[in-house]
Amino acid sequence: MFGQKSFSRQLLHICFLLPVFVAFFSLNATALTQKGAKEGILLVAFGTSVPEAKKAFETIDASYRKAFPDIPVEWAFTSQIIRKKLAARGEPASSIGEGLEALAKKGVKIARVQSLHVMAGEEFSALAHSLIVWLHRHQGVFDALYLGRPLLESRADAEAASRAVARAFDARRGSGDALVFMGHGQEKGRAGLAFEGARAIFKDNDPLVFMASVEGERSFDELLVELGKHEIKKVMLSPLMLVAGDHARNDLGGAQSYSWASRLRAAGYEVDVNLEGLGELPEIGDIFIEHTKNGADDLSGEPRKP
Ligand code: CO
């Protein structure tokens, strides 16, 4: 995470340098129309060290290889702590820079970086920032670098995602059972509005679907009040996160008294916990693939008008 101070300082730095990038790279705006320029994809996630949670990444990886059979697909994890843990276990994972270098080594000239974040919050901003800094330090490596936006970027995305999760829970959920999602959220609330938008759309599609966040503005206490307004006996808990990692296994479904499962049981609800990340649903991978295909923000050149 960036400290607020150093982030704004770095941002200032970027704004100062931006005219230089634009002048330097504007010749490349037509790169996509040139035939033969090799494309490659870099999928970027926070990462997880929970072995059972890896299934989400494997599902997304398989979907990408099927959708883009002839082009290289690389992965990067942004969390340094997780990369260290994995390396110690003999399962090294790339950083963003290492992932871009792996694409360059394969002769890729048009890089398509896809954010695997659920919403455009702090982690997504940090990704965009890292890419701009990398491009500045490695000028001329790629003709173009496109950044695909996170999962829940539009109303249509949230509707597609809510249909996908509804289908996934259909068989396991009785009528009258609530479905409660734990999103990540963030303290500074950068993604707070996106979260509220997604919450409203999920709820429009199913009034018994609820959402709150583990680290964001929409709190568990607000969730309890919302649940109390309905005649609900049973609650199905599920992470609104790509992988069912640490938060899902501890904060959501853990045996500790602070977990949402424990607190809901203490409040008198019957509770069932789903430990599958969103990424395990193929329909979620399809939304990301759409975003990769539609990515129009070439970070190495001038933004194109639609
Ligand atoms: Co967290």
Side-chain angles (χ1 to χ4, degrees):
M1 297 285 165
F2 292 99
Q4 196 59 42
K5 229 185 207 166
S6 74
F7 184 72
S8 37
R9 208 183 314 125
Q10 280 159 328
L11 204 63
L12 201 71
H13 193 58
I14 293 169
C15 295
F16 183 67
L17 289 169
L18 210 54
V20 183
F21 292 143
V22 171
F24 190 86
F25 286 105
S26 56
L27 284 175
N28 293 323
T30 53
L32 264 184
T33 58
Q34 290 167 7
K35 279 203 172 133
K38 189 171 172 181
E39 297 198 29
I41 294 171
L42 177 63
L43 300 174
V44 181
F46 182 78
T48 184
S49 59
V50 176
E52 299 82 8
K54 276 196 314 201
K55 213 179 143 207
F57 294 146
E58 288 159 8
T59 306
I60 289 174
D61 189 69
S63 297
Y64 265 84
R65 286 177 201 282
K66 201 173 159 201
F68 304 97
D70 303 320
I71 70 176
V73 176
E74 295 285 335
W75 280 79
F77 289 167
T78 56
S79 166
Q80 213 174 344
I81 297 171
I82 284 170
R83 289 202 311 273
K84 269 189 186 161
K85 274 190 194 172
L86 291 173
R89 226 190 262 167
E91 300 168 30
S94 296
S95 63
I96 296 168
E98 288 162 349
L100 292 172
E101 275 154 31
L103 288 181
K105 269 191 201 132
K106 290 179 176 171
V108 166
K109 293 310 278 180
I110 298 169
R112 294 189 179 275
V113 177
Q114 180 60 51
S115 146
L116 295 181
H117 301 109
V118 176
M119 295 172 199
E122 211 164 2
E123 289 286 331
F124 177 73
S125 301
L127 164 61
H129 175 253
S130 305
L131 292 172
I132 292 170
V133 170
W134 191 92
L135 283 168
H136 178 58
R137 291 187 184 147
H138 302 82
Q139 296 184 12
V141 172
F142 297 122
D143 292 340
L145 187 147
Y146 292 87
L147 175 58
R149 308 278 305 176
L151 178 69
L152 301 179
E153 189 63 11
S154 65
R155 183 175 180 175
D157 290 338
E159 277 170 359
S162 85
R163 280 193 300 272
V165 295
R167 267 197 300 274
F169 285 102
D170 246 0
R172 286 186 273 175
R173 206 176 137 213
S175 69
D177 295 352
L179 177 55
V180 169
F181 285 104
M182 173 191 262
H184 194 284
Q186 57 199 195
E187 229 176 291
K188 293 193 192 84
R190 181 172 289 164
L193 271 178
F195 192 89
E196 291 305 311
R199 197 173 74 86
I201 291 162
F202 275 57
K203 200 161 202 55
D204 275 355
N205 287 348
D206 182 341
L208 291 183
V209 170
F210 303 83
M211 255 184 221
S213 56
V214 62
E215 287 176 25
E217 291 172 299
R218 176 63 58 173
S219 68
F220 177 83
D221 293 335
E222 284 172 284
L223 169 72
L224 262 189
V225 172
E226 280 297 306
L227 287 172
K229 291 180 186 165
H230 300 260
E231 298 272 312
I232 292 165
K233 288 196 182 90
K234 191 175 166 188
V235 174
M236 169 76 97
L237 290 176
S238 191
L240 190 76
M241 300 180 200
L242 193 71
V243 297
D246 194 49
H247 287 304
R249 280 154 217 275
N250 293 306
D251 301 304
L252 182 66
Q256 308 89 326
S257 60
Y258 63 77
S259 78
W260 287 16
S262 300
R263 287 154 84 184
L264 285 169
R265 284 189 186 111
Y269 293 100
E270 191 187 327
V271 177
D272 218 344
V273 183
N274 169 57
L275 286 182
E276 277 166 18
L278 290 177
E280 292 179 49
L281 302 175
E283 296 96 326
I284 297 295
D286 292 343
I287 298 174
F288 283 121
I289 286 169
E290 268 314 297
H291 290 192
T292 304
K293 287 180 178 165
N294 298 338
D297 291 332
D298 178 1
L299 295 191
S300 66
E302 243 175 310
R304 289 192 305 172
K305 293 202 175 80

